[in-house]
Amino acid sequence: MNLLHTLRYWTLATLLLHVGCAPGPNAPGHASFVYPLPIPPLAESRRDGEGRVEFRLEAREGTREFRAGYRTATRGLNDDHLGPTLRMARGDEVVVHLTNALPEATTMHWHGMELPAVMDGGPHQMVEPGATWSPTWTVRQPAATLWYHPHPHGATERHVYSGMVGMILIDDDGSFSDGALPDTYGVDDVPVLVQDVTLDADGQLVRHKPWYNQVGPLGEMVLVNGAVTPYHDVGDELIRLRLLNASLSRVYAFGLSDGRAFHVVASDGGLLTEPLLTERIRLSPGERADIVVRMEGGDTIRLTSHSPELGTDFVNNRLAGGQDRFELLELRASDTLSTSPPLPTRLARIEAPDPSAADRVRSFKVSSSTINGLSMDMRRIDAHIHRGATEIWEVGGIAVPHNFHVHGVRFRILDMDGHRPPPEFAGWKDTVYLDPDTVTRLLITFPEQEDDVPFMFHCHFLRHEDDGAMGQFLVGSERP
Ligand code: C2O
Ligand code: CU
């Protein structure tokens, strides 16, 4: 660092120490839990003439009252804000009819789904106003919590922020020899979709990013399933929370207000090998984790976000929300709880990743507006990948927090900065946080099916994605 740089750094650091914000609605000690947690309805489905499980989604405009007395303009699917949960089973052939009732084009991406690229809903599958797009695919992957959101090139952040987001649950056989996972939707198996927002004086959503903030907009309040500090009544000993970080740029370190430990049972791409006891789980934008919390009769505890470890220096940490703490959701147990079956001791069979299976290695450097120095170009293919190939991707983020998401696949993390991934991230993933200036190595097996349109890979801090931190790969039969 030269002198000027050092000086600027410390001026900023000192300044920051003095900026305090008024406590928002989620501030620890100030949060009041007045409204019940909204549970996104399960989307209705029926068998169509071809035996496919058919869903209908309509992207539309609406309003929501996030602040008493103010109608905030929002968007949703089949609703004013957010969308229904799509529940499907492994082996299902599904079709989703997405109608765009918005005044502008959008797309719908099935984040985490293994499907043909033309069904993926990335920036190449724009849906014009008034049009209906009907992607169809067969679910070939195991039980997992996925999600859907728009992906128009250069405008993903705005479309996601307005509320066009929902969850997808994939069910799989699910029989365990010595226990069970809570699975009654909305009762002991609860979606927890987290988005931070800022409202202006008129109560409208604004995406404010001060010049010195390098990560993207950070909201002042955090919505859980679209509500501010809701509560959920718990009647069973065990409750499963399907945590989804649907935020633009905020990283959360989820935990419980009394510091009690919980079990992580699934990561982005499916169940872990066994329940993992921990007190914290860090999720960056796009990541999911299913956790199971054990309640005692009469308990009142809160799902909180503690200051997340971002791996940055002091200033960048502060600017990226690394010191922010939130109370998100209150869990209220009744005095007597129904007995839950024990958690299974084994959840899934996952082999140790074998790097020697890789056909080649590629490296990616993610900055706030480029990958490997190139800004996203819809006409450029950044990687030609042989169908069915297994590759090691070495991914590094430059200077500030980034993460990395690959479409159409699930991957394993070989190592992060030379260390084995923490156990909660040792299973199947599709999005991974990148500690600044370190290298994360991923082992990825690509689809067998050839495509003539590309899949995306990108930083899921959506401002970075929109600004160009995205690239495209094409799965084909040519050997690169
Ligand atoms: Cu969650 Cu390319 O997206
Ligand atoms: Cu980034």
Side-chain angles (χ1 to χ4, degrees), residues 377-454:
D377 182 341
M378 298 269 288
R379 293 154 309 177
R380 185 187 68 235
I381 299 296
D382 298 276
H384 285 273
I385 294 179
H386 194 263
R387 59 188 191 84
T390 296
E391 299 194 349
I392 293 173
W393 283 22
E394 299 179 338
V395 191
I398 299 170
V400 298
H402 297 286
N403 70 4
F404 198 71
H405 168 50
V406 187
H407 285 212
V409 299
R410 291 176 298 145
F411 56 68
R412 303 289 296 283
I413 302 172
L414 291 174
D415 42 51
M416 307 169 100
D417 202 17
H419 303 289
R420 276 207 296 201
E424 66 272 29
F425 299 140
W428 292 106
K429 295 281 292 164
D430 57 52
T431 308
V432 59
Y433 182 74
L434 304 174
D435 276 308
D437 303 312
T438 65
V439 170
T440 297
R441 293 197 312 146
L442 311 176
L443 187 71
I444 314 178
T445 298
F446 290 89
E448 279 292 343
Q449 184 182 333
E450 289 181 40
D451 281 304
D452 43 21
V453 296

Side-chain angles (χ1 to χ4, degrees), residues 109-112 120 122-123 147-151 156 285-286 288 405-407 430-431 456-460 462 465 470:
H109 168 56
W110 323 104
H111 179 128
D120 189 48
W147 64 302
Y148 58 87
H149 64 79
H151 216 300
T156 297
R288 291 87 65 209
H405 168 50
V406 187
H407 285 212
D430 57 52
T431 308
M456 305 297 125
F457 56 87
H458 59 90
C459 179
H460 218 292
L462 297 181
E465 178 197 315
M470 178 154 74

